[in-house]
Amino acid sequence: MPPVQVNGPPVSAERGLSFTVLGPLRAWRGTTPLDLGPVRQQAFLAGLLLRPDVTVSRQQLLDAVWGEEPPGTGLKVVPGYVYRVRKSLGVDAVISGDRGGYRFHGDRVRVDSVLLEDLAGQARAAHRTGDLAAAVQLCGDALALFAGEPLTGLPGPFVVSQRRRWTERRIALAQQKADWELRLGRHAEVVEELSALLAAHPDNETLAALLMRALHDGGRRADALAVYAELRHRLVEELGVEPGAETRRVQQAVLLGEDLTPRATVRRGAARDELPADVGDLVGRDRELALLTASAKGGAVAVDAVDGVAGSGKSALAVTAARALRAECSGGCLFVDLHGHSEVRDALAPQRVLRRLLRAVDVEDGAIPDDVDELAARWRSATMPLRLLLVLDDASSSEQVRPLLPAGPGSRVLVTSRGRLTGLDVRCRISLGPLDVDAAQGLLGGIVGTPSTDRDRAAARELARLCGWLPLALRIAGARLQHRPMWTWDDLVSRLSDGDARLGELTAGDRSVEAAFRLSYHRIPGIEQRAFRALSRAPSAELDRIAMAAMLHCAPARAGRVLENLVDANLVQQPAVGRYRLHDLVAVFARRLAAEHPAETAAADRRLLELHLTAARRAVDWKRTGRPDEPGTGPTPFSGMRDAVEWLNSAGDLSDVVSHAVATGNVDHACLLAEAGVDYLLRRGRIHECRAAVEIALEHVADATERRMIAALRFWLGCVELVQGRHEQAHHCYRDALHTARNLGDRWEESRALGALGVVAGLSGAKHEAVDALSEALEAAVELGDEWLIERADSYLGYLQHVDHRHEEALERFERIHALGEKLGSSAMMARALCYTGSVHLVVGRFAEAASALRRAVDSAEELGDLVLYAASLSRLGTAEYELEDRAAALDSQRRALQAFPADGPTSVALEMHQRLADTCLREGHHDEAQEHFRSTLALAETGPTERITGLRDVFL
């Protein structure tokens, strides 16, 4: 990021957006200042700008700006403010809508607070190399960015907290700068700066202690003692406390005239090489090795960190890299095992490691202090003239490592840890995962020998998979084969194929995969252990924070933090932002742990199934106003239909969830979920997944508590058959559903099955039978007072009127359905009515009216995520546009319709869309494209229903 001018935009901002927040909130496009509007609007912008690249919910934005006094309109005010902020910035792309909130894209702008941290980081790096003059200059550049009170004059709790944070950051930087200046002997400058700061913050003991040191070092002992006396008087009189230990220590040093800066006594000896020799050959890590051995720039101390799941080969990589680098480090190569994850030893304290390191560079024992800060200072002083290579293996935390970093320019430090050391500033950070297939087989072959037959090669590949491609597991498996010459590859594969016994088999001597995993597991807090166990129970390979929140019975935000902590601990993988999964071998371990907590596991399973059920029900507008026994749903993380749809879209295969429900003994949940998910799945063209979910539930429906589920699931299986054009099979399913419903006396299921039988009769050409069945279904729906059932029956009766050339009656019926949708607040019902209306107008040649209705249907279907309705409406809109002589728009609409149509969508709809586009292409002279779509039409006609359905689609689904 380029330097920032005080009260101005970045020097090299060109045409991008830049902001200053370390004073009044200002923005520029290039060098042109922008008007950010009233202060409330600016506070709203700050609430997004200062939380870059994360989704901020509407509620969070409301709380951030208005706090406990929200506007009367509540959350409805948020989109208006987003619109005004976008308008003031002159660009939409920097703020995007996300599920449940908004996201500010920080990579597209420059902010002075980011530059502040960059300069502060450079200052720390310069300090580590011993270049205090550069550190002071960089720290001064950072402080110069402050142009008054941060976010001057802006209201709201969020701004207040940010203002306080940056004020404290400013003081901390000033204190650090003063400390470094004192070491450079710049007493006069420090006295002037600290006096002004202490006047503004008179109770800050650190500032007072620094000012006392500056005055003392400048020969002004009396003034230094006066600062202490004034501070003590104020603390005792106003707060009733004495100054802290550090302040009292400085006062005593001033009284005694002691030098407050420690000195190291160093004697030179021969350079040492402590690198271990028994870490094994490195396989499959060429890219990572190249990163670690690349030349470091700038002459500063280069710190590189390697983290990864237990058994991923971190130590082997670090030591191999160190061997390649040791020729560059004339001061010696030191290796320390920090025992961050050991069964027999606690992690080494920094004091103990520092004493050992100081002895390694020949500091006399008598000159080694006890205090950790003094030890660290002595270590930096002792290593200043040395170009060291230091390997810190198996670190437990950043706090353990930071005091151990040397100061000699050009020194290299390689740190390994199981968890990510996010608190450590590094040049290069590498996270090791499993090996690729070829590398894993190569590692096995290097131990046992290359398989010679196709069967052995296949077994070796399977063995590598069962080992999760992890180097530790592969080495143990290879060692077991090596020491048991009678065993074949297949023998060990057979032993490892038993999931319950696999971890026990991956043990050799003092090396154990399970022991390595268990050490990592025991280092994490209790809630993270629960989350780790719960992950192994997920029915799909991945899940998100919402699913984890359900399993842990906590807020999604907390679940997200827990999952990120598990990622940092390298117990959980993050294949994409917001998605989490377990490594295969780690999952085996986690499932074993989960089995040790049966009550907790069963409760987590049920809560996750209830979340899926809630999402499936909220993802559709199919409601049962006539069913008093409809199970209610509790609190939901989904703000509405679209939110639920987006979550389900990313939640994996619903049939896997139904199967998981059956496997865990939750048959009621399996049936309810299969029933609730059909509408969602069919409208997105996921027909095979839908069939699988319903058939799995049907296999176990006899064990369900609700007897009506037999009728309900037979009904929904009929819907799947109908969508796939299998009318006879659909008819059988609906007859079974009707028979069961009547036996149970369930009038609601009876009405639904009657309506569906009417649909099948209509599609088969039996109009009178269809009208009779639909009329009976409509009568039952009215009797039940169920307006959703009324709409379904009414819709298909309207279709039959349309087929019978009673177009005006059909349009009147569809208009009533649209009004009913408005009354019920059902966007989906209104979208279907618009599609029906537009389709009738299209057939009778009212192309303008058809285009108007279908365009609205397209917009609504897109908003709802109903891919099938969207594609069908868009294709028909293209036909209307063509007749209105907007030929380019017509082709575009029909092409987009086919692109959006799901691959597994209803055959009849795909057939219609291909034929419409073929007709349009032919009329426009695009003969090759027309021929392509005519061929697709013929192919679909052979695999689907032979009759062409030109009316309304799947109205009862």
Side-chain angles (χ1 to χ4, degrees):
M1 182 172 176
V4 172
Q5 298 173 338
V6 178
N7 298 319
V11 172
S12 303
E14 299 175 349
R15 299 183 63 187
L17 279 175
S18 56
F19 296 86
T20 61
V21 296
L22 301 176
L25 177 59
R26 294 192 176 99
W28 291 262
R29 177 171 295 286
T31 57
T32 304
L34 302 177
D35 181 3
L36 298 179
V39 292
R40 187 80 70 181
Q41 182 173 314
Q42 292 183 40
F44 189 91
L45 168 61
L48 287 167
L49 171 67
L50 300 178
R51 288 183 278 198
D53 304 316
V54 297
T55 299
V56 184
S57 71
R58 294 184 180 187
Q59 187 63 54
Q60 287 174 314
L61 287 168
L62 197 71
D63 294 342
V65 180
W66 283 273
E68 296 181 357
E69 298 179 356
T73 54
L75 294 175
K76 293 180 181 178
V77 75
V78 173
Y81 269 84
V82 171
Y83 170 77
R84 288 192 287 275
V85 167
R86 283 172 171 165
K87 187 175 181 182
S88 70
L89 299 180
V91 61
D92 289 343
V94 75
I95 300 175
S96 64
D98 205 348
R99 186 173 71 199
Y102 299 92
R103 179 184 292 259
F104 192 98
H105 297 279
D107 58 340
R108 302 175 189 176
V109 301
R110 297 177 177 87
V111 187
D112 59 350
S113 60
V114 176
L115 178 59
L116 176 85
E117 297 304 332
D118 183 49
L119 290 170
Q122 292 180 46
R124 291 193 299 271
H127 168 251
R128 286 198 299 269
T129 67
D131 191 351
L132 286 183
V136 168
Q137 179 61 50
L138 288 162
C139 214
D141 291 344
L143 287 166
L145 295 174
F146 287 94
E149 182 183 60
L151 298 170
T152 308
L154 299 190
F158 177 75
V159 165
V160 169
S161 67
Q162 293 297 305
R163 185 180 295 132
R164 184 184 305 114
R165 181 170 71 86
W166 279 323
T167 299
E168 292 171 356
R169 187 76 176 104
R170 185 178 190 177
I171 294 171
L173 283 171
Q175 291 172 177
Q176 184 66 81
K177 177 173 176 282
D179 180 61
W180 291 339
E181 285 183 302
L182 285 176
R183 300 186 187 204
L184 291 171
R186 299 176 184 176
H187 313 123
E189 297 96 316
V190 173
V191 168
E192 182 179 353
E193 294 168 2
L194 290 179
S195 296
L197 266 176
L198 189 60
H201 306 280
D203 296 331
N204 189 309
E205 290 193 48
T206 304
L207 288 175
L210 283 167
L211 180 55
M212 291 165 63
R213 284 177 54 192
L215 291 166
H216 172 57
D217 290 350
R220 299 168 59 183
R221 292 177 63 192
D223 290 337
L225 294 171
V227 170
Y228 178 82
E230 183 178 349
L231 173 71
R232 182 180 180 279
H233 175 78
R234 183 180 301 104
L235 292 177
V236 171
E237 290 296 321
E238 297 179 6
L239 302 177
V241 297
E242 290 284 345
E246 176 61 19
T247 310
R248 295 198 304 273
R249 188 184 73 81
V250 173
Q251 184 228 12
Q252 287 297 313
V254 173
L255 286 171
L256 298 173
E258 292 179 350
D259 185 358
L260 293 168
T261 305
R263 295 286 185 269
T265 302
V266 181
R267 57 185 173 82
R268 299 286 175 248
R272 300 172 65 148
D273 186 345
E274 300 179 345
L275 295 180
D278 58 347
V279 295
D281 294 332
L282 189 69
V283 177
R285 303 297 190 192
D286 293 346
R287 184 187 68 84
E288 292 85 353
L289 184 61
L291 289 172
L292 290 180
T293 56
S295 298
K297 298 178 181 178
V301 177
V303 182
D304 298 320
V306 180
D307 61 72
V309 66
S312 56
K314 302 177 291 294
S315 299
L317 174 61
V319 171
T320 302
R323 287 173 182 159
L325 291 169
R326 59 184 163 188
E328 302 176 10
C329 299
S330 57
C333 304
L334 304 181
F335 180 93
V336 182
D337 185 346
L338 297 176
H339 297 290
H341 299 81
S342 171
E343 289 185 281
V344 296
R345 301 184 61 174
D346 292 332
L348 296 184
Q351 294 96 319
R352 181 174 178 181
V353 180
L354 284 167
R355 293 189 189 99
R356 177 233 193 274
L357 290 172
L358 284 166
R359 287 192 293 270
V361 296
D362 297 327
V363 174
E364 296 174 353
D365 286 345
I368 297 177
D370 294 323
D371 179 76
V372 66
D373 291 335
E374 291 185 6
L375 280 165
R378 189 68 54 88
W379 169 243
R380 291 192 295 272
S381 177
T383 55
M384 180 63 70
L386 303 177
R387 188 174 181 133
L388 278 176
L389 173 61
L390 175 62
V391 179
L392 300 172
D393 191 41
D394 194 20
S396 61
S397 66
S398 301
E399 291 75 17
Q400 185 189 31
V401 170
R402 275 196 296 266
L404 312 181
L405 301 179
S411 293
R412 303 291 293 262
V413 181
L414 303 178
V415 186
T416 73
S417 63
R418 293 197 184 175
R420 293 178 182 169
L421 303 181
T422 55
L424 191 66
D425 295 329
V426 300
R427 178 191 74 98
C428 173
R429 193 183 304 277
I430 294 172
S431 293
L432 291 185
L435 296 172
D436 62 32
V437 176
D438 291 339
Q441 291 182 246
L443 193 156
L444 278 173
I447 299 171
V448 187
T450 304
S452 56
T453 68
D454 289 343
R455 177 169 180 166
D456 282 350
R457 281 189 285 272
R461 284 194 296 273
E462 179 62 10
L463 181 60
R465 185 191 68 79
L466 291 170
C467 289
W469 325 105
L470 280 180
L472 174 62
L474 292 163
R475 290 185 187 282
I476 291 173
R480 298 201 71 191
L481 279 176
Q482 191 178 48
H483 292 104
R484 290 167 176 78
M486 297 299 293
W487 282 13
T488 66
W489 292 93
D490 284 327
D491 289 333
L492 188 53
V493 166
S494 177
R495 298 176 75 93
L496 293 183
S497 295
D498 181 351
D500 293 334
R502 187 181 310 171
L503 293 176
E505 292 290 336
L506 290 174
T507 300
D510 62 349
R511 294 189 299 176
S512 164
V513 171
E514 181 175 5
F517 289 164
R518 197 171 290 277
L519 283 170
S520 296
Y521 171 76
H522 285 311
R523 291 290 193 277
I524 59 177
I527 189 170
E528 291 172 21
Q529 291 182 352
R530 283 179 55 209
F532 179 71
R533 297 192 294 267
L535 266 168
S536 71
R537 303 292 301 172
S540 55
E542 301 173 7
L543 52 67
D544 65 358
R545 66 176 194 156
I546 293 176
M548 181 53 68
M551 298 180 85
L552 294 181
H553 201 48
C554 69
R558 188 181 186 195
R561 290 192 295 271
V562 167
L563 286 165
E564 287 296 327
N565 289 342
L566 288 171
V567 171
D568 287 340
N570 276 302
L571 284 168
V572 169
Q573 299 173 332
Q574 191 173 40
V577 175
R579 307 295 301 170
Y580 305 90
R581 60 168 294 149
L582 290 172
H583 173 272
D584 291 348
L585 207 52
V586 176
V588 174
F589 173 63
R591 283 193 291 273
R592 176 178 292 185
L593 292 172
E596 298 170 2
H597 300 79
E600 170 193 291
T601 297
D605 284 340
R606 284 193 299 273
R607 287 194 294 267
L608 183 60
L609 292 171
E610 286 162 8
L611 174 69
H612 279 277
L613 182 57
T614 298
R617 285 175 172 166
R618 289 190 66 98
V620 297
D621 73 335
W622 177 264
K623 298 180 175 63
R624 306 173 180 175
T625 54
R627 289 200 67 89
D629 59 336
E630 172 71 0
T633 55
T636 170
F638 309 115
S639 59
M641 181 176 179
R642 183 170 185 176
D643 205 21
V645 166
E646 289 179 355
W647 186 81
L648 283 172
N649 288 345
S650 62
D653 193 312
L654 204 63
S655 64
D656 288 340
V657 184
V658 174
S659 180
H660 178 73
V662 170
T664 55
N666 293 288
V667 174
D668 284 340
H669 282 89
C671 294
L672 290 168
L673 185 56
E675 177 192 34
V678 172
D679 191 83
Y680 158 78
L681 291 171
L682 290 184
R683 294 193 181 283
R684 279 145 197 89
R686 291 156 63 176
I687 296 174
H688 294 298
E689 180 183 343
C690 183
R691 175 183 287 277
V694 174
E695 289 179 343
I696 291 168
L698 269 171
E699 287 179 14
H700 301 273
V701 71
D703 298 325
T705 303
E706 290 191 58
R707 304 314 303 157
R708 73 165 189 88
M709 291 309 306
I710 300 172
L713 292 175
R714 290 297 293 172
F715 168 83
W716 285 117
L717 183 59
C719 293
V720 176
E721 301 285 12
L722 185 62
V723 167
Q724 293 187 298
R726 294 197 277 263
H727 297 168
E728 185 177 347
Q729 293 90 329
H731 182 268
H732 287 314
C733 289
Y734 292 144
R735 291 296 303 176
D736 289 347
L738 178 63
H739 178 73
T740 302
R742 284 176 170 166
N743 284 342
L744 293 171
D746 191 323
R747 186 72 166 144
W748 195 90
E749 291 290 353
E750 179 185 356
S751 172
R752 188 163 68 163
L754 277 169
L757 284 167
V759 172
V760 176
L763 292 173
S764 304
K767 295 180 185 178
H768 295 298
E769 182 183 340
V771 170
D772 289 344
L774 287 162
S775 297
E776 187 178 352
L778 183 59
E779 180 182 343
V782 171
E783 174 190 322
L784 291 166
D786 193 312
E787 292 168 312
W788 267 264
L789 278 179
I790 292 171
E791 180 255 344
R792 297 302 169 103
D794 234 3
S795 294
Y796 207 78
L797 284 169
Y799 165 66
L800 292 176
Q801 288 173 333
H802 164 56
V803 171
D804 206 28
H805 305 291
R806 294 153 58 192
H807 305 302
E808 299 307 320
E809 293 177 57
L811 288 170
E812 288 177 10
R813 194 178 290 267
F814 297 149
E815 187 176 346
R816 288 199 304 272
I817 293 170
H818 189 274
L820 179 60
E822 286 185 312
K823 170 190 168 185
L824 297 175
S826 171
S827 300
M829 189 181 294
M830 290 188 285
R832 289 192 294 270
L834 286 168
C835 178
Y836 305 158
T837 299
S839 300
V840 174
H841 282 308
L842 186 64
V843 170
V844 299
R846 299 172 190 160
F847 301 119
E849 291 89 339
S852 174
L854 289 167
R855 193 170 286 114
R856 291 166 63 195
V858 167
D859 292 341
S860 295
E862 184 176 24
E863 178 72 19
L864 292 166
D866 189 332
L867 300 181
V868 179
L869 181 62
Y870 169 78
S873 301
L874 188 58
S875 178
R876 295 172 190 178
L877 173 61
T879 300
E881 288 170 332
Y882 192 88
E883 298 299 338
L884 293 170
E885 299 188 356
D886 193 350
R887 297 175 178 178
L891 278 169
D892 179 65
S893 294
Q894 291 179 339
R895 287 167 177 159
R896 284 193 295 123
L898 272 174
Q899 289 172 353
F901 189 70
D904 200 20
T907 303
S908 60
V909 182
L911 187 150
E912 176 192 334
M913 290 195 301
H914 276 290
Q915 185 159 341
R916 286 187 184 279
L917 182 52
D919 291 341
T920 303
C921 289
L922 188 62
R923 294 168 71 180
E924 281 298 286
H926 302 311
H927 297 114
D928 290 343
E929 187 177 355
Q931 189 176 47
E932 176 187 341
H933 290 294
F934 276 129
R935 285 183 180 141
S936 297
T937 302
L938 290 172
L940 288 166
E942 290 176 2
T943 59
T946 55
E947 68 272 24
R948 179 173 175 211
I949 302 168
T950 58
L952 307 177
R953 174 193 69 79
D954 305 332
V955 292
F956 262 81
L957 298 186

